[in-house]
Amino acid sequence: VTLGMESGFGSDFGSGGGAGGKLDPGLIMEQVKVQIAVANAQELLQRMTDKCFRKCIGKPGGALDNSEQKCIAMCMDRYMDSWNTVSRAYNSRLQRERANM
């Protein structure tokens, strides 16, 4: 499962950001940050899909029944809540460690 956001990113990566074809380091860093964010979002979605599918779908078929739909929705909500909690704690710890350097 992909988010479909990778198209277009990197298509102008390394194209001259200014006159004379000089590379703009700030522009390159922003493009790298965007590509990393997209890769992280894709990995999060893939992990969430894998875990919730294994948890909620006993016998795959042509359609999800009502209980499977509810299970998937709840699983994805819990996964996102957990990921957001861990992410906030991690970012907070990084900020504290940077402040102590």
Side-chain angles (χ1 to χ4, degrees):
V1 176
T2 62
L3 295 176
M5 294 190 296
E6 68 276 351
S7 62
F9 294 123
S11 61
D12 55 3
F13 184 80
S15 64
K22 292 183 181 178
L23 296 177
D24 179 0
L27 177 62
I28 291 171
M29 284 304 295
E30 283 305 310
Q31 289 175 334
V32 169
K33 287 178 184 178
V34 167
Q35 289 176 343
I36 290 170
V38 168
N40 285 338
Q42 288 174 328
E43 182 178 351
L44 171 65
L45 184 59
Q46 183 64 48
R47 285 184 180 184
M48 183 171 51
T49 301
D50 289 345
K51 288 181 185 293
C52 292
F53 184 87
R54 282 195 306 268
K55 176 180 173 36
C56 297
I57 312 299
K59 295 181 181 179
L64 297 175
D65 66 28
N66 214 17
S67 64
E68 290 172 332
Q69 289 178 14
K70 288 179 184 177
C71 181
I72 292 282
M74 293 296 292
C75 177
M76 293 178 86
D77 286 345
R78 285 192 307 266
Y79 196 95
M80 288 301 297
D81 287 344
S82 299
W83 188 85
N84 286 330
T85 299
V86 170
S87 180
R88 281 192 299 270
Y90 178 74
N91 287 330
S92 179
R93 182 175 177 177
L94 279 179
Q95 289 175 356
R96 282 194 312 269
E97 288 181 6
R98 286 180 183 155
N100 292 333
M101 292 182 146

